[in-house]
Amino acid sequence: MRVIVAEDVLLTREGIVHLLTEAGVEVVAQVEDGDAVLREVAIHRPDAVVVDIRMPPTHTDEGLVAATRIRDAFPGTAVVVLSQYLEPAYALRLLEGHEERVGYLLKERVFHPAVLVDALRRVTEGETVVDPTIVARLMGRKRLQDPLAELSPREREVLGLVAEGLSNKAIAARLFVTDRTVEAHMARVFSKLDLDESPDAHRRVLAVLALLRA
Amino acid sequence: MGWLRPSARGVVAGVSLLVATGGAVALLAPVRGQTAAFTDGQVSGRIAVLLLLAATALVAAGAVAWFARPGGLLALLGFAAAAAWLAPELAGSPGVTREARSVGLLLAPLVAPLLAHLPIRALRADAGHTGVRWLLAVMYGAFAAVSIGHALTWDPFRALDCAPVCRQGDNVFLVDRDIALSTRLVNAGFLAAAAIGLSLAAWAVRRLTWGQRPERWREGVVLVPALATGLSLTWWSIARLVVPPERTDAWFLGPTVALSVAVSALGAGVAWWLVCELRRAEDIRRLAELLDAGAGSRSLRDTLVTTLGDPTVRVIYPMGDGGPYLDETGDQVPAFVPTPGRAVAVIERVAGVVALVEHAPSVDADLLTRRVGAAARLAVDNERLEATLRAQLRELKASRSRIVAAGDTARGRLERDLHDGAQQRLLAVSYELRLAQAAAGTRAAADPARTAALDDAVAEIDRVLVELRDLAHGIHPAVLTEAGLDAALRSLADESAIVIAIDDIPDARFPADAERAAYLSVAEAVRRAGRAGIARLDVRVRQDAATLRVEVAGERLGDAQWLRVEDRVGAAGGRTTVTTDATGGTLLVVELPCV
């Protein structure tokens, strides 16, 4: 897998590069700001980009802007945004309009073994990855009219794992059930969220969006 | 008129009235006077009535002015104009003495400058205008020269047009008979009168179209007749120049009738204007009493507006020598520049100038200064104090907003520093630790105690990172500045342990201080609700025109002071209301300006 890393803090950037290289991921370029990352993507056409949400010049949402521009211009390149922000608003902003091949990870999770590499692998496979902490937060929401109210606790749990970017197989392994059971849960989730008509891969992402918007 | 002593003024008035009376008598004498000089020709009965009417109006204007502006020039102008108006009748009357006829001859040319001066003086248009005064002086000088030169050289006995009524030695001022010169002088006088007429008309038109509206309407009573007088004076003068003296038909009568009517209207208009002025003076006197009595609930300016009938009155308070100035609302006026065409009354005290009143020029500034200045001390002082307080309050509000904004900026910077400094360093440390952890774990002779210590350290750093993020968020919710109120409030709801029902929030962005105040109001309500163990809050945000309205409803939020909210909202220029109903339900309403 060929990856570009965009991160303005040297230590973190080197850490990420080191970690990715250790895991056998080829880092083709390292950049420090949003404009440079677009340039490098155009040159190298990597499989994925890891981009920090806060970069020069304003240190606010340059990474998010760069991510959406990459997804618009290079549909084959997946993007994982590293963020300090727990708020689903940011993840939603990233996912809306670019449902596939995007991931939103909290920055503190970067150096957890395998989390980043895992997320990169999933987004390049076309999945959508949302940080488990954010998913947990979404699941813990207290709402009067919950759009997800019709889901059973088990179905919610499965939807949360889908949002984290896990495949049915991985979910089955995590929940100690069979693949068939997971598929059945997902079918009911789609039905309850009125997503019956969509193609399968797209449906999973739409379900995640429904969770984010809820 | 400082240069005319009161006794001299009496003499001028007396002589003028005498001449006017003489003219009137000559006009009404059984032998209908054939006139000489400026109004040659036969005067029919009807024309005589018109001439007399105009003279009466001028005398009336003078008489009213004698009372309205005691000691002023205007009364003399009215009387003198009447005298000059009827002087030709006197000069042409066979029934009076030679001396009287000669005086008539001498005074007759002065009618044009006097008629022009009258409305100008009545409206005080010459007061404080050096240019106008010079113009008037030149005008009088020119006509005096024409008049004296004519009197010294003209022999009525030899003049063709005077022949039927003029006798030998009729002009007692005659020094050197020179018919050609005197005729040229007379013609020059007519030309000058035509020019004066045009200037008067132009002045009246300019003032009618240029001034402040309410003033214009009121001044119309003088200005419209002045315009008519100017135009008919020009017409009459040109007719004198081009129409042969022996003609007595419409060529002569038309302009004479027009001028007589216009002058009658002018005299009446000036008189009426002066009556109004007297009434205004009376109003100012009452105003002074009113202000002395404490001014009531209305401001000095409002009282002046009503009394003077001038909605454009400005009252300005100097705060020291040479400014700054404050208006009555406490707004700073950088430098006091009087509006062109307006007059300024200066209200002074021992300590210096306390107020400047800019008003319509037709109001007597001296009167205003004297009466109001003397009587309205308390009112002026109150006003001034209030204006100062308002200015200070405004400054205080601005400073409060600045302090809050500075605090917000500092918090924003702190949040950024935490994210971009401390957090990044901790991340780097955590990476190093993980490397160490990995190395320790893979080493052949693994030291379980060290591995456990490293595991603990990694877990601790993860917790610190989470705490750091929460801390940064608490210091400054970045989502508010970046994504707006909707996202920030929804995020607040996600974090909170209680149910927060959020109604539709406008997706628009608002001024940063309004957004922050709105957010922090809701956050404070959530904090209180959490403390009070309340299960649910209802939040509504609406935009009504220029107001952002935030409503938070909950059970038993309590009516303890919402100081944090009030301070915040107040600094953003907003208003906080907390109401508690009978069942203990609390409604917090925050209204913020959002334009």
Side-chain angles (χ1 to χ4, degrees):
Chain A
M1 191 178 359
R2 298 165 69 251
V3 170
I4 291 179
V5 176
E7 160 69 65
D8 59 312
V9 179
L10 179 70
L11 276 175
T12 316
R13 188 170 68 237
E14 286 188 337
I16 293 170
V17 171
H18 188 253
L19 185 137
L20 290 178
T21 315
E22 288 277 288
V25 175
E26 183 192 354
V27 177
V28 292
Q30 309 177 24
V31 295
E32 295 178 16
D33 61 71
D35 290 336
V37 72
L38 275 165
R39 211 167 44 237
E40 294 299 318
V41 169
I43 296 168
H44 298 286
R45 301 298 177 105
D47 299 310
V49 178
V50 177
V51 57
D52 184 18
I53 195 168
R54 286 160 80 119
M55 281 193 296
T58 67
H59 290 279
T60 52
D61 61 354
E62 280 80 3
L64 218 49
V65 174
T68 50
R69 284 170 68 186
I70 292 169
R71 290 295 300 130
D72 282 338
F74 307 97
T77 300
V79 180
V80 171
V81 174
L82 302 179
S83 168
Q84 288 91 330
Y85 304 125
L86 260 180
E87 288 87 355
Y90 291 96
L92 197 58
R93 213 177 119 191
L94 176 67
L95 260 67
E96 271 177 330
H98 315 87
E99 291 93 353
E100 291 167 18
R101 290 177 188 271
V102 288
Y104 186 92
L105 283 187
L106 288 180
K107 207 161 180 186
E108 64 230 35
R109 203 172 296 277
V110 171
F111 298 127
H112 278 256
V115 167
L116 180 59
V117 179
D118 203 35
L120 279 172
R121 193 176 43 71
R122 287 193 198 134
V123 293
T124 48
E125 281 166 8
E127 291 281 353
T128 304
V129 175
V130 177
D131 193 280
T133 311
I134 296 176
V135 172
R137 185 181 149 116
L138 292 170
M139 289 300 178
R141 276 174 171 173
K142 290 152 295 293
R143 286 290 159 84
L144 287 179
Q145 281 110 25
D146 193 346
L148 307 179
E150 286 186 26
L151 303 189
S152 70
R154 194 57 156 181
E155 285 157 9
R156 277 170 166 264
E157 196 174 6
V158 171
L159 177 58
L161 291 173
V162 169
E164 286 174 32
L166 267 63
S167 64
N168 281 3
K169 204 184 212 42
I171 295 172
R174 181 84 65 93
L175 298 179
F176 306 109
V177 294
T178 63
D179 293 6
R180 293 283 300 276
T181 314
V182 173
E183 277 165 26
H185 281 312
M186 279 315 293
R188 278 196 300 277
V189 169
F190 294 146
S191 156
K192 285 177 179 175
L193 295 179
D194 289 330
L195 299 174
D196 292 327
E197 304 302 317
S198 315
D200 188 60
H202 203 60
R203 265 198 314 206
R204 291 173 75 88
V205 179
L206 289 178
V208 173
L209 272 176
L211 175 64
L212 281 172
R213 289 199 190 107
Chain B
M1 293 320 280
W3 48 270
L4 263 184
R5 296 147 61 98
S7 55
R9 285 187 214 127
V11 170
V12 172
V15 168
S16 302
L17 286 175
L18 204 65
V19 171
T21 314
V25 170
L27 202 59
L28 295 172
V31 182
R32 290 258 153 67
Q34 266 198 308
T35 56
F38 275 65
T39 52
D40 348 38
Q42 300 277 341
V43 176
S44 75
R46 284 189 195 133
I47 294 287
V49 169
L50 278 177
L51 291 176
L52 212 56
L53 191 67
T56 313
L58 292 171
V59 170
V64 179
W66 192 264
F67 291 104
R69 299 185 188 173
L73 177 66
L74 190 62
L76 302 186
L77 281 177
F79 295 147
W85 177 256
L86 289 181
E89 316 310 325
L90 195 63
S93 166
V96 297
T97 62
R98 296 193 297 136
E99 288 75 14
R101 296 182 67 161
S102 306
V103 168
L105 192 69
L106 188 67
L107 289 183
L110 293 177
V111 73
L114 287 169
L115 283 181
H117 196 176
L118 188 71
I120 290 175
R121 183 66 210 157
L123 298 183
R124 298 178 202 279
D126 55 342
H129 287 276
T130 327
V132 176
R133 287 182 161 179
W134 271 104
L135 218 65
L136 287 169
V138 168
M139 190 172 81
Y140 278 118
F143 272 89
V146 166
S147 170
I148 292 167
H150 181 248
L152 294 179
T153 54
W154 195 63
D155 184 356
F157 185 62
R158 296 297 177 88
L160 270 176
D161 50 330
C162 195
V165 288
C166 297
R167 295 180 302 251
Q168 186 85 42
D170 253 357
N171 183 1
V172 295
F173 302 117
L174 183 64
V175 174
D176 179 18
R177 190 175 66 224
D178 186 339
I179 297 296
L181 177 62
S182 66
T183 306
R184 273 203 295 280
L185 281 172
V186 168
N187 287 346
F190 283 133
L191 261 181
I196 283 183
L198 277 183
S199 311
L200 180 63
W203 170 79
V205 166
R206 179 182 152 83
R207 198 158 168 115
L208 271 172
T209 52
W210 184 61
Q212 306 272 349
R213 189 171 284 273
E215 199 54 27
R216 222 153 64 188
W217 284 107
R218 266 213 317 257
E219 287 183 352
V221 72
V222 174
L223 289 174
V224 172
L227 173 62
T229 304
L231 292 176
S232 48
L233 182 63
T234 308
W235 185 18
W236 180 84
S237 308
I238 290 171
R240 290 307 80 195
L241 274 172
V242 299
V243 178
E246 61 274 15
R247 295 274 298 268
T248 55
D249 56 9
W251 284 103
F252 165 72
L253 292 174
T256 307
V257 169
L259 186 59
S260 303
V261 171
V263 170
S264 306
L266 181 65
V270 168
W272 178 248
W273 174 257
L274 290 169
V275 168
C276 293
E277 194 173 274
L278 273 176
R279 284 216 308 253
R280 274 200 299 273
E282 176 61 20
D283 285 344
I284 290 177
R285 197 187 57 72
R286 273 195 287 115
L287 164 75
E289 280 169 6
L290 203 72
L291 291 173
D292 209 21
S297 57
R298 304 170 72 201
S299 78
L300 174 61
R301 190 189 160 267
D302 287 347
T303 319
L304 282 171
V305 165
T306 321
T307 317
L308 304 178
D310 177 4
T312 57
V313 165
R314 275 209 298 167
V315 182
I316 282 156
Y317 303 96
M319 289 292 115
D321 280 335
Y325 298 90
L326 297 179
D327 67 11
E328 79 276 4
T329 63
D331 270 336
Q332 271 224 5
V333 183
F336 178 65
V337 184
T339 315
R342 310 274 293 160
V344 177
V346 181
I347 297 177
E348 270 176 302
R349 300 279 288 278
V350 185
V353 178
V354 290
L356 300 167
V357 179
E358 188 185 280
H359 55 88
S362 53
V363 174
D364 189 342
D366 285 345
L367 190 68
L368 201 63
T369 307
R370 243 176 319 129
R371 288 269 166 78
V372 176
R377 300 200 164 159
L378 198 62
V380 169
D381 279 351
N382 278 344
E383 273 302 278
R384 191 183 151 92
L385 201 63
E386 208 164 300
T388 317
L389 278 178
R390 286 205 181 112
Q392 281 169 354
L393 191 64
R394 192 162 308 158
E395 180 48 41
L396 211 60
K397 276 184 182 163
S399 140
R400 180 189 186 187
S401 296
R402 280 198 302 273
I403 290 172
V404 167
D408 287 348
T409 311
R411 279 164 164 257
R413 205 164 41 229
L414 200 58
E415 183 258 357
R416 246 170 75 169
D417 288 349
L418 280 178
H419 273 318
D420 300 335
Q423 194 194 35
Q424 297 284 2
R425 277 158 188 268
L426 270 179
L427 269 177
V429 172
S430 109
Y431 176 65
E432 299 288 333
L433 276 177
R434 280 181 209 283
L435 284 183
Q437 193 183 24
T442 54
R443 208 171 297 160
D447 178 347
R450 180 178 292 175
T451 314
L454 279 172
D455 289 350
D456 283 351
V458 167
E460 183 62 22
I461 282 206
D462 281 352
R463 279 195 293 276
V464 171
L465 278 168
V466 170
E467 271 177 31
L468 198 62
R469 190 187 51 222
D470 291 347
L471 181 66
H473 180 78
I475 288 173
H476 175 93
V479 66
L480 178 64
T481 27
E482 278 160 39
L485 203 52
D486 186 23
L489 287 182
R490 290 193 189 283
S491 163
L492 187 68
D494 289 347
E495 289 157 19
S496 101
I498 58 170
V499 174
I500 301 175
I502 299 179
D503 213 28
D504 273 346
I505 297 181
D507 203 18
R509 295 305 302 262
F510 304 101
D513 57 345
E515 281 186 343
R516 273 196 74 85
Y519 176 83
L520 290 170
S521 305
V522 179
E524 172 68 9
V526 170
R527 199 183 64 84
R528 286 191 181 210
R531 221 174 35 189
I534 293 161
R536 168 178 173 177
L537 279 184
D538 285 279
V539 177
R540 249 180 108 181
V541 181
R542 268 183 304 138
Q543 186 187 3
D544 299 331
T547 307
L548 183 65
R549 192 180 154 92
V550 181
E551 293 177 5
V552 186
E555 296 293 317
R556 305 187 317 276
L557 275 177
D559 39 12
Q561 274 197 300
W562 292 69
L563 276 183
R564 279 193 214 192
V565 173
E566 280 164 18
D567 287 354
R568 253 299 160 173
V569 171
R575 215 158 48 112
T576 311
T577 6
V578 182
T579 46
T580 305
D581 63 21
T583 61
T586 308
L587 178 65
L588 167 72
V589 178
V590 167
E591 285 162 307
L592 293 153
C594 65
V595 182

